[in-house]
Structure formats: structure tokens, C-alpha cells
Amino acid sequence: MTPKEIVQNFYKSDALLDSNIMELSLHPEVILDWNSSKGFLQMNKAEILALSAELQIAYTRSKIRISHILEEENLVSVRYSHYVKTFENPREEMLLAHFMVIWEIKDDKLYRGFQMSQLS
């Protein structure tokens, strides 16, 4: 699988709400640098899995709509919008945020991420 396919499969798999898929997709030494609306976060694998578990409690469904994806060697850049459905209102899809992330792929897993997000 190419690095681009690895990243596409990750976001299409609903891994953000499934910690089992998340666990399989992340390199053991993964680091994610995230510039969010709350400031800068640097997360390791355990912290990313904990965030996934929190999202799993808050939302019933998650959908990623990729608008741009570019690959250069083992680097993949993705621009996407993240939509969710809540337990309180499972029929309404709501835009959570817009994201831009660059992933470095190592050993066919997400290894190093640089992400920016903006609330909808």
C-alpha cells in the first residue's frame, strides 16, 4: 500500500471513533503536533488513543470528507472536514471542524503528524 492509500484508509475507516482501528494505524512512536483553537498540543500514542476514546463517548458517528490529498515519498498532506452525529441528535450531521495535516508514514503506519484545525 502507498503512503497515500494508508492515510486515505485511515480517515475512511472511522478510526477517530474506533480505538481498535486507531491502535492498529498508529506507529508505536507516533507524535502528533496539533495547532488547534485551544492552542498547541503535542500528543503521543497513548494521548491520541485517549482522545479517540473520548470522541467515541461523545459521538455516534464520524465522517471525514477529504477535499485535498497529496503524496510526496513517505509524506501525505490531507485537507478535510470532520462531521459528527451526537447521541442527543443522531439524525443531524454537524460539522465539527476543518483540518489540514501532514503525515509521515513509517513501517506502513502514521508516524509523525503536523496538524492544524479550525472550528466550523
Side-chain angles (χ1 to χ4, degrees), residues 15-80:
L16 298 172
L17 292 186
D18 189 328
S19 50
N20 293 326
I21 296 172
M22 183 72 76
E23 171 76 34
L24 295 172
S25 302
L26 299 177
H27 191 278
E29 299 168 4
V30 66
I31 297 291
L32 175 63
D33 288 348
W34 183 0
N35 290 291
S36 75
S37 57
K38 296 182 180 180
F40 177 76
L41 299 168
Q42 187 172 68
M43 303 172 76
N44 62 23
K45 187 172 185 174
E47 293 164 327
I48 296 169
L49 290 172
L51 175 62
S52 177
E54 287 178 31
L55 291 174
Q56 196 171 359
I57 291 168
Y59 303 111
T60 60
R61 181 135 165 68
S62 169
K63 186 181 220 176
I64 301 296
R65 292 196 180 123
I66 296 173
S67 61
H68 298 80
I69 184 164
L70 303 168
E71 174 185 30
E72 184 178 315
E73 297 178 14
N74 67 330
L75 298 174
V76 180
S77 300
V78 185
R79 182 181 178 275
Y80 67 92

Side-chain angles (χ1 to χ4, degrees), residues 103-119:
W103 279 111
E104 179 182 349
I105 305 302
K106 182 177 178 181
D107 302 328
D108 293 332
K109 296 190 183 279
L110 304 177
Y111 173 66
R112 190 76 169 96
F114 303 91
Q115 178 170 279
M116 294 178 71
S117 63
Q118 179 182 17
L119 294 176

Side-chain angles (χ1 to χ4, degrees), residues 6-15 21 61-62 64 66:
I6 291 167
V7 172
Q8 280 178 313
N9 288 341
F10 172 73
Y11 287 110
K12 287 182 181 181
S13 71
D14 211 12
I21 296 172
R61 181 135 165 68
S62 169
I64 301 296
I66 296 173

